[in-house]
Amino acid sequence: MIQLTDSEFRRLVAFVRGNFGIDLSKKRLLIEARMYAVLARKKVSSFSQYFEMVRGDRNELNAMMNRLTTNHTYFMREPRHFEFLKDVILPAQEKTNRSRSLHVWSAGCSTGEEAYTAVMVMKEYFALCPGWDYRTLATDLSTRALQSAARGVYPEESLAGLPPQWRHRYFRRQSGGCALSDEIRREVIFRQLNLMEPFPFHTPFDLIFCRNVMIYFSQEARDSLVARFRDALKPGGYLFIGHSETIPHNAMGLRYIEPSIYQKGP
Ligand SMILES: C[S@@+](CC[C@H](N)C(=O)[O-])C[C@H]1O[C@@H](n2cnc3c(N)ncnc32)[C@H](O)[C@@H]1O
């Protein structure tokens, strides 16, 4: 079996941290477990040889990062954020937002459940006052996760946190899982985006979800990302992070509202 040497491990960790923010320094077993089969399939004789291949080939790099990212997610994960959206953010928007458009970004969306849940919440909320535009941008590094997100077919367990009426309204059982309806799917635009690269957006966001992404990042990558999220928000816009993640309260122009919810100052 091909061995991952100490120096190859260090090189890979530095490469992934430098380019994608992800800290794999304590994930040696994960790297070995996820990469051995790939190396065998590629018929390379060492990690170094595979690494050279990856550095010169965008598709191979995507394939490696598809393997090294952790994409676990499900609908209505961390439901407090969606309650806060429905009970606090949307009523305030309804009163004050004359343009009737909301810019929402799910950053590190994985297979799409977070963005689709947000769209369902907004669709239900605005059902009685049509004319709102809440098309949502959802981005991830993993091309495999994004393909699955665009397909919109999920195992039944992934829907367990949704109200039963929503499961009936927005999904259809088919072979291989539950297919999301077009009326929700068409409200989300998926794009590949490495969060470590400059954001290519011109319009600031009302709401950014970046949940359970920064837990995998080095401290340095986290700090720079949070500062760039602040810049990408409108004054008064909200940032949701995962409940197991923290950023300094009231630092970097983001006011702590409640655990894992921050608001950009005016
Ligand atoms: C555990 S999932 C989180 C999904 C969802 N936000 C949630 O909370 O359920 C973490 C996602 O972050 C993505 N990710 C990791 N590093 C990234 C980077 N540098 N740029 C963009 N996405 C990244 C991974 O591909 C993965 O899909």
Side-chain angles (χ1 to χ4, degrees), residues 20 70-71 73 77 108 110 114 140-141 193-195 211-212:
F20 306 105
T70 298
N71 310 116
T73 184
R77 183 178 194 180
S110 186
E114 174 178 277
D140 202 279
L141 179 62
L193 178 73
N194 174 6
L195 290 170
R211 310 183 313 159
N212 308 299

Side-chain angles (χ1 to χ4, degrees), residues 162-170:
L162 290 174
Q165 323 76 282
W166 293 17
R167 276 183 252 156
H168 292 126
R169 199 170 299 153
Y170 298 125

Side-chain angles (χ1 to χ4, degrees), residues 1-226:
M1 199 193 285
I2 299 170
Q3 292 300 315
L4 175 65
T5 66
D6 288 351
S7 77
E8 286 171 332
F9 174 60
R10 282 196 299 273
R11 219 168 123 216
L12 183 63
V13 167
F15 176 79
V16 172
R17 187 193 284 137
N19 287 283
F20 306 105
I22 303 170
D23 180 4
L24 293 173
S25 59
K26 298 193 177 65
K27 299 284 169 68
R28 188 167 181 150
L29 288 177
L30 176 142
I31 297 172
E32 289 174 343
R34 293 189 185 175
M35 296 312 298
Y36 276 142
V38 181
L39 267 66
R41 211 169 37 243
K42 294 285 164 195
K43 300 196 173 24
V44 293
S45 58
S46 68
F47 266 91
S48 297
Q49 202 186 340
Y50 176 68
F51 202 44
E52 285 318 311
M53 199 173 185
V54 162
R55 285 158 70 100
D57 180 339
R58 180 86 220 166
N59 291 334
E60 208 50 64
L61 178 60
N62 280 339
M64 183 176 89
M65 293 316 295
N66 285 345
R67 296 216 149 245
L68 292 179
T69 49
T70 298
N71 310 116
H72 177 67
T73 184
Y74 45 92
F75 286 91
M76 203 56 95
R77 183 178 194 180
E78 302 189 10
R80 173 62 193 148
H81 292 152
F82 299 107
E83 226 174 82
F84 189 88
L85 175 61
K86 171 172 76 69
D87 295 341
V88 178
I89 299 178
L90 297 180
Q93 289 288 333
E94 203 182 354
K95 284 203 194 95
T96 58
N97 184 337
R98 296 285 143 251
S99 71
R100 293 188 156 217
S101 72
L102 280 167
H103 288 108
V104 181
W105 178 18
S106 165
C109 64
S110 186
T111 38
E113 291 87 332
E114 174 178 277
Y116 287 139
T117 304
V119 165
M120 285 181 212
V121 171
M122 292 186 281
K123 189 166 197 66
E124 293 284 328
Y125 186 89
F126 291 127
L128 297 176
C129 49
W132 278 78
D133 175 8
Y134 44 80
R135 271 220 300 184
T136 293
L137 173 70
T139 64
D140 202 279
L141 179 62
S142 165
T143 51
R144 191 172 53 185
L146 289 167
Q147 276 161 14
S148 165
R151 207 175 313 122
V153 179
Y154 296 95
E156 190 132 16
E157 315 83 79
S158 176
L159 282 54
L162 290 174
Q165 323 76 282
W166 293 17
R167 276 183 252 156
H168 292 126
R169 199 170 299 153
Y170 298 125
F171 293 87
R172 184 174 35 82
R173 272 213 188 84
Q174 63 172 48
S175 68
C178 301
L180 184 61
S181 70
D182 287 347
E183 69 176 309
I184 300 296
R185 259 176 2 118
R186 68 172 167 242
E187 298 294 343
V188 182
I189 300 162
F190 291 101
R191 293 277 179 275
Q192 189 188 25
L193 178 73
N194 174 6
L195 290 170
M196 287 301 103
E197 289 179 359
F199 301 157
F201 312 125
H202 302 297
T203 314
F205 293 96
D206 295 284
L207 189 54
I208 298 176
F209 290 86
C210 185
R211 310 183 313 159
N212 308 299
V213 177
M214 288 186 279
I215 29 168
Y216 303 103
F217 280 16
S218 64
Q219 189 59 46
E220 193 189 353
R222 263 181 230 164
D223 291 347
S224 95
L225 187 55
V226 169

